[in-house]
Amino acid sequence: MTEMPPTRVWDQIVEQTTGTGLAKDGPVELADDHAHLPTRRSLGALRGKPESKPGVSLGWLAAAAGVGAIVALAGSALLNQRPEESLVATAELDVLSGADQPAQAEILVIDGQQVLRIDQASAPDLEGQYLEVWLINPDSSGLITLGLLDGESGDFALPANLSTAEFSVVDVSVEAYDGDPTHSGDSVWRGPLSS
């Protein structure tokens, strides 16, 4: 272990760094190996100033709060923003079997995507069956399935290259869970699209 320098050496270091001497306060007694080092508290006391505490300035806190408020408002505006919709075509779907009332169909462009929307309020009893939505050409020589109608309404994204002028008839059929992907021939609603 190296020999500790005399107390007067530490007194001179404190005097030179703080501009105040320790000699008038009496000698510094060293209790352990580190007691001879001046601390932030002892230097502050020597200067006659209270010890400063680290902290965040009020300006930074106000700026952070302002940024937080702007982010919250922007997020709220995005959540409340509704996608743009434009109506392209509509269809009144006549009852062919099993339903009490006609259904409605419309083609919308929602944020650049064509969507077929079906609304109905009188589906037949579907025990063990489901409703499937189709687009059919007028002479019934071709058809495209769009998916299952689950509930009173549904939106079905149309393929980008699908021509609704060619496949211009909306059809909703009752299908069985039999693994056969073809149309059952049992249509509940059907009607042509008109611009």
Side-chain angles (χ1 to χ4, degrees):
M1 182 172 161
T2 60
E3 188 178 329
M4 297 297 294
T7 304
R8 62 183 161 68
V9 173
W10 293 113
D11 289 344
Q12 289 175 356
I13 292 172
V14 170
E15 184 177 343
Q16 289 176 2
T17 57
T18 66
T20 309
L22 289 175
K24 26 187 166 167
D25 297 332
V28 175
E29 297 199 12
L30 302 178
D32 59 37
D33 287 349
H34 300 290
H36 61 281
L37 298 175
T39 64
R40 182 183 180 112
R41 183 178 299 276
S42 66
L43 291 175
L46 289 173
R47 290 189 193 103
K49 296 179 182 177
E51 179 185 2
S52 63
K53 295 181 181 175
V56 178
S57 74
L58 291 178
W60 280 108
L61 286 175
V67 169
I70 290 169
V71 169
L73 286 173
S76 175
L78 285 174
L79 287 175
N80 293 327
Q81 185 178 7
R82 303 183 118 205
E84 285 188 29
E85 294 184 3
S86 59
L87 184 63
V88 175
T90 60
E92 179 81 13
L93 307 182
D94 296 327
V95 176
L96 299 182
S97 69
D100 298 327
Q101 300 173 25
Q104 304 293 321
E106 53 189 11
I107 293 183
L108 303 163
V109 176
I110 303 176
D111 285 344
Q113 169 70 57
Q114 276 201 344
V115 173
L116 175 71
R117 179 171 291 161
I118 304 282
D119 288 305
Q120 60 85 21
S122 65
D125 180 20
L126 294 172
E127 182 103 17
Q129 299 174 310
Y130 61 92
L131 296 174
E132 189 163 358
V133 178
W134 308 80
L135 283 180
I136 302 174
N137 56 14
D139 64 3
S140 299
S141 62
L143 70 163
I144 297 170
T145 181
L146 298 178
L148 280 55
L149 178 60
D150 184 17
E152 292 186 357
S153 67
D155 285 357
F156 303 89
L158 302 181
N161 58 353
L162 177 68
S163 168
T164 55
E166 182 182 352
F167 293 92
S168 60
V169 177
V170 179
D171 179 273
V172 181
S173 66
V174 174
E175 302 290 335
Y177 292 103
D178 56 9
D180 184 355
T182 61
H183 195 291
S184 66
D186 184 8
S187 292
V188 180
W189 297 284
R190 184 179 290 179
L193 289 163
S194 59
S195 300

